[in-house]
Amino acid sequence: NKIVAYDSNTGEITQEYDHHLAPVNTINFVEDNGTKMVTSSDDKKVLVWEWDIGVPIKYISDPTMHSMPVITMHPSERYLVCQSLDNKILVYQAGDRFALQRKKKIEGHNTAGYACDIAISPDGRFVCSGDSDGKLFFWDFKRTRMLQKYHAHDKGPCIGAVWHPVEASTMFTCGWDGVIKMWQ
């Protein structure tokens, strides 16, 4: 239920971040100089922290929110792209406001109960995610429209997806079937 920062030289605890009420799912640094981080938890809250300050500077929470076990920074660093367990990918403005972009809701896949990765193309134009049925989905980020859907993995979810950092036409997925696949 908390995040603990250590001094790598001494092993001493330097800071504890303990405002989540359930297990922490993800930690993302959201600025180039690493001064802010975003965390999500099973308590259905997203918290924004200043590095080395143990009190959140922003709470993102409302009664309709679901847990978001995966948060990915858009390559433009203007958006946080979040996998919500209500079968949606939500987009939040990064920077100072961290506001929900209500028009950027990505839907069509089933992730309830699974922390399926979100991958974003290096140019930021496409979003991809697996789902609980082993399928792989591609959406247009700007229009939030589904472009393609593939049967990617058998015997469980397509849990991991990553875009190749240099070859924009190549990505990799993995599933609970124990297989890693390359897509071109």
Side-chain angles (χ1 to χ4, degrees), residues 9-27:
N9 294 321
T10 66
E12 299 287 322
I13 294 174
T14 59
Q15 185 61 257
E16 290 187 8
Y17 306 89
D18 61 357
H19 280 69
H20 280 296
L21 304 174
V24 175
N25 292 321
T26 186
I27 303 170

Side-chain angles (χ1 to χ4, degrees), residues 42-139:
D42 285 345
D43 63 7
K44 302 178 185 178
K45 290 190 291 192
V46 174
L47 302 179
V48 182
W49 309 81
E50 281 285 341
W51 179 252
D52 253 355
I53 299 174
V55 179
I57 60 171
K58 174 89 175 184
Y59 282 80
I60 301 171
S61 180
D62 73 60
T64 64
M65 273 180 69
H66 290 260
S67 180
M68 291 188 264
V70 176
I71 298 177
T72 303
M73 179 64 92
H74 189 272
S76 70
E77 297 188 359
R78 293 177 41 215
Y79 303 103
L80 293 172
V81 183
C82 309
Q83 186 76 269
S84 179
L85 289 183
D86 64 346
N87 304 320
K88 296 180 181 99
I89 294 175
L90 304 176
V91 179
Y92 287 84
Q93 176 185 347
D96 294 332
R97 295 192 56 215
F98 294 97
L100 177 63
Q101 303 297 293
R102 295 191 191 284
K103 292 182 180 179
K104 285 202 176 291
K105 191 184 309 178
I106 298 170
E107 299 178 280
H109 63 317
N110 181 17
T111 58
Y114 298 95
C116 297
D117 273 346
I118 299 169
I120 304 170
S121 62
D123 62 6
R125 292 177 49 212
F126 305 105
V127 175
C128 143
S129 175
D131 86 341
S132 61
D133 298 324
K135 294 185 186 93
L136 178 64
F137 293 80
F138 291 88
W139 294 270

